[in-house]
């Protein structure tokens, strides 16, 4: 990686840390520059605005996520394995969910539509990644998409509860969620 790309990557990584910790509205370019051990002027050299930096962080997160899972699934994983992997994100990497909530909040309040489009993209990507394998099981695209939407809401909601309340029993919640999905799928087969 050349020096220019390395500095840009350092700024994106620093912005992620600062934005997750302080939130977009409470963070400054100076905070991000300090985290990256650079000057604020250098941040502005690479990014025109804090919003552009925010969008670059989101693009980096999406790219990393897709790279992590691309080509790893030769066959459909079991429902249990899928749920265990998703549950592990909230316990192993709660900052990933903190970032999601930050971008959701900003997107809901966005009057220009830039961030709202990002949130739509994040949610659509999540639904699509769940919907495709569900469609193979259910056989109906609309129904698979609806179930994917419900599951995504459960994943995000459970993670939020765990982040704000360490007493939430994620194991039990995911066991019940698995039972509910299996019951639904078994009724569809009948």
């Amino acid at each position: 990686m050349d020096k220019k790309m390395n500095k840009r990557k350092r700024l994106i990584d620093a912005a992620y840390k600062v934005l997750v910790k302080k939130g977009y509205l409470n963070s400054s370019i100076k905070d991000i520059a300090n985290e990256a051990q650079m000057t604020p002027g250098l941040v502005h050299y690479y990014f025109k605005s804090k919003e552009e930096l925010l969008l670059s962080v989101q693009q980096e997160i999406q790219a990393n996520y897709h790279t992590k899972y691309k080509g790893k699934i030769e066959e459909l994983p079991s429902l249990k394995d899928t749920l265990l992997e998703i549950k592990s994100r909230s316990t192993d990497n709660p900052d990933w969910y903190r970032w999601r909530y930050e971008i959701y909040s900003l997107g809901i309040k966005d009057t220009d539509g830039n961030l709202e489009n990002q949130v739509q993209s994040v949610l659509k990507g999540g639904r699509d990644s769940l919907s495709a394998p569900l469609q193979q099981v259910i056989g109906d695209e609309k129904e698979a998409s609806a179930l994917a939407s419900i599951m995504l809401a459960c994943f995000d909601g459970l993670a939020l509860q765990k982040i704000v309340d360490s007493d939430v029993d994620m194991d039990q919640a995911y066991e019940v969620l698995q039972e509910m999905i299996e019951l639904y799928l078994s009724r569809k087969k009948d």
Side-chain angles (χ1 to χ4, degrees):
M1 187 183 307
D2 69 2
K3 284 186 177 186
K4 189 173 184 177
M5 288 306 292
N6 187 26
K7 286 181 181 177
R8 189 175 195 287
K9 173 84 169 100
R10 275 180 45 206
L11 286 169
I12 289 171
D13 292 346
Y16 175 77
K17 288 177 186 172
V18 170
L19 294 170
V20 163
K21 186 174 166 182
K22 295 178 87 174
Y24 181 78
L25 298 176
N26 294 323
S27 300
S28 68
I29 292 293
K30 184 177 179 181
D31 295 330
I32 295 165
N34 287 341
E35 179 68 32
Q37 298 178 335
M38 295 182 191
T39 64
L42 202 52
V43 177
H44 288 293
Y45 173 77
Y46 287 99
F47 303 97
K48 291 182 225 167
S49 65
K50 190 167 78 166
E51 183 175 310
E52 182 182 326
L53 182 52
L54 173 85
L55 293 173
S56 295
V57 171
Q58 178 57 32
Q59 289 167 351
E60 177 86 6
I61 288 170
Q62 289 295 106
N64 288 342
Y65 181 78
H66 291 297
T67 300
K68 181 178 178 180
Y69 294 102
K70 187 176 184 173
K72 286 197 174 184
I73 301 175
E74 295 83 32
E75 58 184 59
L76 288 176
S78 71
L79 176 61
K80 183 177 183 172
D81 289 343
T82 301
L83 293 176
L84 285 173
E85 193 278 326
I86 292 169
K87 179 183 75 167
S88 73
R89 290 180 205 163
S90 60
T91 53
D92 298 346
N93 190 4
D95 282 348
W96 187 81
Y97 275 104
R98 285 184 180 96
W99 173 261
R100 283 175 71 88
Y101 303 131
E102 183 67 18
I103 201 89
Y104 289 173
S105 174
L106 294 169
I108 289 168
K109 298 170 190 167
D110 182 35
T111 56
D112 296 332
N114 294 335
L115 297 175
E116 183 179 39
N117 290 337
Q118 284 294 316
V119 171
Q120 287 173 358
S121 176
V122 168
L123 291 171
K124 183 177 181 336
R127 282 191 312 271
D128 290 350
S129 70
L130 293 167
S131 183
L134 286 170
Q135 188 175 342
Q136 292 181 25
V137 174
I138 296 172
D140 180 85
E141 183 179 350
K142 263 183 119 170
E143 203 164 325
S145 181
L147 181 56
S149 294
I150 292 166
M151 290 170 65
L152 187 62
C154 289
F155 303 152
D156 284 343
L158 287 169
L160 176 62
Q161 290 180 63
K162 185 63 176 177
I163 287 170
V164 298
D165 182 357
S166 61
D167 292 335
V168 170
D169 187 344
M170 293 292 279
D171 294 329
Q172 184 65 36
Y174 269 85
E175 284 177 28
V176 170
L177 179 59
Q178 180 179 341
E179 288 175 26
M180 290 169 52
I181 295 168
E182 287 173 344
L183 179 62
Y184 175 80
L185 293 175
S186 71
R187 289 178 143 183
K188 297 308 295 174
K189 290 178 185 176
D190 293 341

